Amino acid sequence: MSTADLPLPSAAGTARLRAALAADAFTADGLLDLLGAPAYAALARGETVPAARAIHGDDGAAAVLVRLFLLQRPVPYESARAVLPADELLGDGWLVRQGPSVRATVDVRPYPGPDGEDWWVVSDPGFGVGGAGGAGGKERDVVLGVGGASMTLAQLTVRQPVGRVLDLGTGSGIQALHAAQHAERVVATDVNPRALRMAALTLALSGAAEPELRQGSLFEPVAREAGFDLIVANPPFVISPRRDDTDALTYRDGGMGGDELCRTLVEQSAARLNDGGWCQLLANWQHVEGEDWRERLASWVPAGCDAWIVQRERQDVTEYTELWLRDAGAHRGDPDAYERLYGEWLAEFERRRTRGVGFGWITLRKTGTDRPAITVEEWPHAVEQPLGETVRRHFALADFLREHDDRALLAARYTLADGVVQEQVGAPGAEDPEHVVLRQRHGMMRAHSVDTVGAALAGSCDGTLPAGVIVDAIAQLLEADPGRVRAGVPGVLRTLVGDGFLLPV
């Protein structure tokens, strides 16, 4: 697939298209009202039948735009001209003639910005949503739209004013679009020239400044540059057998064996970051027989960086193989070919001694410290998105704990984080609970069991008194030895602060 069939619009033409889409309620909120929640949610899964039924017989402007840009159906030229500057869009390549009708050359999908902005993401027709549901016959360089992984990364990313951002593997440009709202300069790269054109269309149609677009793999397009404050990447992380390039799908197959691509991204990121800079990416990693996966991933972290690595899901190799063979539509083809491909995937995993594949988030922060804080954990439970502020705070708390010894921890003052509640667990009617649990209602939504001293300490932290003073008062109330009580509290504080239950004042 080349870029010759993609729109090449003028700035004025794109502005007029944007105005028409907004005026006709072709927005995220407008589609929810038009289609209803079930059909709107089905579109996000790549299913179009509910939306088609929802607008059956509707000739309104928004319904025409849904048929044209989301359902990829031709509409009469006169219907298109009634709601769009159709002749200009034909000239710019957004539309093409099909007899007495016109059809769209790209998928244009409304996307809500974090502060209520109306944005539109441009991708290949029929692939407006990532993980296109097993549609066969994909061209290898097809550009997908916004899927669950893209939205997860966007909500994980730390949002603060920065100078330079690198969006590595930009795809349809959604990460660059987010970054353009808080960065002075955005560099977006992709090995696929078609993706770079799509990203440019996404940002232009959404009214954002166009990033610097560079073609190349991994860090090649910025090989002689450093000085980035943020690197974001939703890379082609799928761990697939290395076959002929014609069998690979650019958006998901990185062309490197095993999880080498993700490891390379992590290891090489620090050299491109400013001090205090962030690298945030989604990744797959192997669970290798005889190796602790946590230790394996921790070994990827470059010197001078703190890291937080969260495994959200683990699949065995058969589940993983089936997922991605279906993604490519292999299950709809020749059964013998499907069986052969399935066997190739399993043979590759066996050769690499891989027993499972993990999926999750990797965040690095360049600190320059020789005492890095590296957390590698499994957390398959519910979280509250967006998590960008939770991520930022996690690393700020790691800085605090690194800089405070036990004495300093007791001398510091703390407040209970917003949304933390206490639960008591025990037999009905019992005088005392068996367990006291602190539970977060925001962010990572963790739960942590504490003893009587820990519960009393957490409940008393309002920022007015040092922790040591509170602990001495608790010991007096419990008629316990203050020295013995104090001795166990720094460990409790490190856990409650590190997990975000208590915040230093």
Side-chain angles (χ1 to χ4, degrees):
M1 300 177 79
S2 69
T3 60
D5 60 331
L6 296 180
L8 190 61
S10 65
T14 302
R16 280 188 278 275
L17 174 56
R18 179 168 63 251
L21 297 178
D24 293 329
F26 190 66
T27 63
D29 288 341
L31 286 188
L32 183 60
D33 291 340
L34 174 69
L35 303 176
Y40 183 77
L43 271 180
R45 299 191 299 270
E47 299 290 347
T48 60
V49 173
R53 292 174 62 86
I55 62 171
H56 179 71
D58 186 344
D59 294 324
V64 170
L65 295 174
V66 168
R67 291 189 185 95
L68 192 61
F69 290 117
L70 298 183
L71 305 185
Q72 295 298 316
R73 298 181 180 179
V75 302
Y77 167 77
E78 293 299 332
S79 296
R81 193 174 68 165
V83 299
L84 292 168
D87 292 332
E88 189 171 13
L89 297 183
L90 284 164
D92 286 350
W94 293 98
L95 304 177
V96 293
R97 285 275 192 177
Q98 188 169 323
S101 300
V102 295
R103 63 173 178 82
T105 58
V106 289
D107 183 295
V108 177
R109 192 161 301 246
Y111 178 88
D115 297 315
E117 304 95 337
D118 289 323
W119 291 343
W120 292 270
V121 177
V122 182
S123 64
D124 271 314
F127 302 103
V129 175
K138 293 180 184 175
E139 296 282 352
R140 68 182 304 270
D141 290 332
V142 69
V143 180
L144 302 188
V146 178
S150 299
M151 289 188 287
T152 294
L153 180 59
Q155 293 182 92
L156 278 174
T157 303
V158 175
R159 302 294 176 193
Q160 59 190 27
V162 293
R164 300 177 73 216
V165 174
L166 172 62
D167 176 15
L168 193 152
T170 188
S172 56
I174 189 60
Q175 307 306 327
L177 179 56
H178 277 280
Q181 312 309 306
H182 63 97
E184 296 175 7
R185 178 182 169 198
V186 178
V187 177
T189 71
D190 206 291
V191 72
N192 182 3
R194 191 174 181 85
L196 295 175
R197 177 73 70 82
M198 292 291 192
L201 292 171
T202 291
L203 270 77
L205 189 56
S206 299
E210 183 175 338
E212 295 181 36
L213 302 173
R214 305 184 191 177
Q215 185 181 353
S217 177
L218 300 178
F219 290 109
E220 290 174 0
V222 292
R224 298 182 180 181
E225 295 181 45
F228 290 100
D229 301 298
L230 171 65
I231 298 171
V232 290
N234 179 17
F237 52 64
V238 176
I239 301 173
S240 55
R242 300 186 66 180
R243 304 190 305 276
D244 185 276
D245 283 348
T246 58
D247 293 328
L249 295 171
T250 304
Y251 74 87
R252 68 169 212 187
D253 299 316
M256 301 174 75
D259 51 22
E260 186 72 10
L261 183 139
C262 293
R263 183 187 66 80
T264 299
L265 278 176
V266 173
E267 291 184 342
Q268 295 184 2
S269 60
R272 307 302 190 285
L273 290 173
N274 286 328
D275 290 340
W278 303 84
C279 175
Q280 297 188 262
L281 66 146
L282 304 182
N284 275 180
W285 46 77
Q286 298 169 148
H287 283 245
V288 179
E289 183 179 7
E291 299 182 24
D292 186 303
W293 70 271
R294 293 173 177 84
E295 293 179 1
R296 187 169 179 272
L297 266 64
S299 72
W300 293 3
V301 178
C305 289
D306 288 350
W308 187 17
I309 302 173
V310 181
Q311 179 168 282
R312 294 289 288 159
E313 182 181 3
R314 180 190 183 278
Q315 293 182 314
D316 67 46
V317 294
T318 59
E319 293 173 309
Y320 189 81
T321 298
E322 291 158 14
L323 170 67
W324 293 109
L325 288 181
R326 287 178 177 273
D327 173 79
H331 64 300
R332 296 184 176 181
D334 175 39
D336 291 337
Y338 177 78
E339 183 176 341
R340 175 181 57 79
L341 283 173
Y342 202 140
E344 287 181 9
W345 282 61
L346 295 186
E348 178 75 0
F349 285 130
E350 185 174 339
R351 187 178 71 81
R352 294 182 176 275
R353 298 185 295 112
T354 300
R355 297 294 176 259
V357 178
F359 168 80
W361 322 321
I362 299 178
T363 299
L364 307 178
R365 182 167 175 260
K366 187 174 181 178
T367 60
T369 182
D370 58 359
R371 294 188 296 131
I374 299 175
T375 300
V376 185
E377 63 175 321
E378 185 168 22
W379 189 255
H381 311 293
V383 299
E384 183 188 54
Q385 293 277 25
L387 276 172
E389 177 56 23
T390 298
V391 172
R392 186 205 62 77
R393 190 169 65 186
H394 171 92
F395 286 85
L397 294 174
D399 286 341
F400 174 83
L401 293 174
R402 181 165 42 227
E403 296 164 0
H404 287 69
D405 60 15
D406 288 357
R407 182 183 297 239
L409 286 176
L410 289 169
R413 293 174 294 135
Y414 306 89
T415 59
L416 194 65
D418 181 49
V420 174
V421 297
Q422 177 178 301
E423 299 175 355
Q424 295 185 347
V425 181
E431 183 176 347
D432 296 315
E434 296 176 12
H435 303 285
V436 176
V437 177
L438 301 180
R439 188 177 299 277
Q440 298 169 339
R441 292 186 293 185
H442 304 303
M444 293 295 287
M445 301 176 71
R446 299 184 189 275
H448 186 68
S449 296
V450 292
D451 60 13
T452 302
V453 173
L457 174 61
S460 302
C461 284
D462 59 5
T464 60
L465 294 174
V469 174
I470 296 174
V471 170
D472 289 343
I474 294 171
Q476 186 175 0
L477 287 173
L478 296 176
E479 298 181 348
D481 178 11
R484 181 170 297 176
V485 174
R486 265 179 170 257
V489 168
V492 174
L493 283 172
R494 290 192 181 277
T495 297
L496 294 182
V497 171
D499 285 343
F501 288 90
L502 291 178
L503 306 179
V505 175

